[in-house]
Amino acid sequence: MAAVNAPAAAELLSRPVTDEDESKRRLAYLLSRSLAAEGIGDELIDALNEVLDRPPLAPTCRKRDDLLARLGLPLPERRLGRPVPLSAGDAARIADLFRRTTRQLLQVVPHRVSVYPTEELRFLLALRDERPAAAEALSYLRRYALAILAVLDLMGDDE
């Protein structure tokens, strides 16, 4: 690292900013914005909604239900229906989309945040490398979707 003495620093700071410097700054800013816009498309939004809008499993308590049935009491009404299971093809398609989105976010995030979100990106990378069993696919995709949303929230809005 080179040391700069006071007269040299004063001379550097007194130089006017040229139009070329300003153009480079503006171009870098606009490129970072356009990268973010390319990474967040309708396909990703639809996949996030598809995963997060599925109703959770209805809580069941088999022992309680058996006890109520033996006593002749009615079983509690379950408002939440059993969700339509996520097919293996849909789970693979969504997981692949989330992995591609992770790759894009890793390139875009440094240009969009003032403080690098180390923990959020570490969690995103851990989810990218995870390969869940078929029975765990929906919960895995929900965690992945929430991690992506957390990073998108940190990046802020284009407007």
Side-chain angles (χ1 to χ4, degrees), residues 107-142:
Q107 295 171 359
V108 172
V109 166
H111 303 286
R112 291 292 307 264
V113 296
S114 57
V115 177
Y116 194 77
T118 306
E119 289 300 315
E120 288 83 356
L121 291 178
R122 185 178 298 149
F123 185 55
L124 207 57
L125 288 173
L127 287 167
R128 179 194 67 183
D129 296 336
E130 189 175 329
R131 300 292 188 257
E136 312 249 332
L138 184 57
S139 63
Y140 163 73
L141 291 173
R142 283 186 177 152

Side-chain angles (χ1 to χ4, degrees), residues 29-151:
Y29 174 77
L30 293 174
L31 283 174
S32 70
R33 293 292 187 179
S34 68
L35 285 173
E38 289 174 13
I40 305 163
D42 291 338
E43 184 183 13
L44 175 63
I45 301 300
D46 292 342
L48 290 169
N49 287 334
E50 183 179 348
V51 169
L52 295 175
D53 287 347
R54 287 184 177 271
L57 294 174
T60 59
C61 182
R62 191 171 301 249
K63 289 182 181 181
R64 181 193 64 203
D65 290 350
D66 290 344
L67 178 64
L68 290 173
R70 277 187 299 186
L71 295 174
L73 298 171
L75 296 176
E77 181 180 329
R78 291 192 172 71
R79 292 187 191 109
L80 300 174
R82 192 152 182 91
V84 177
L86 196 62
S87 71
D90 285 343
R93 176 185 56 81
I94 293 171
D96 182 55
L97 175 63
F98 286 176
R99 288 184 185 102
R100 283 185 284 141
T101 300
T102 299
R103 192 170 42 251
Q104 290 172 337
L105 288 175
L106 289 174
Q107 295 171 359
V108 172
V109 166
H111 303 286
R112 291 292 307 264
V113 296
S114 57
V115 177
Y116 194 77
T118 306
E119 289 300 315
E120 288 83 356
L121 291 178
R122 185 178 298 149
F123 185 55
L124 207 57
L125 288 173
L127 287 167
R128 179 194 67 183
D129 296 336
E130 189 175 329
R131 300 292 188 257
E136 312 249 332
L138 184 57
S139 63
Y140 163 73
L141 291 173
R142 283 186 177 152
R143 286 183 288 139
Y144 209 160
L146 291 174
I148 289 172
L149 286 174
V151 172

Side-chain angles (χ1 to χ4, degrees), residues 16-29:
V17 176
T18 64
D19 289 338
E20 184 179 337
D21 293 335
E22 191 60 34
S23 297
K24 288 178 185 176
R25 286 187 193 131
R26 190 175 305 121
L27 181 61
Y29 174 77

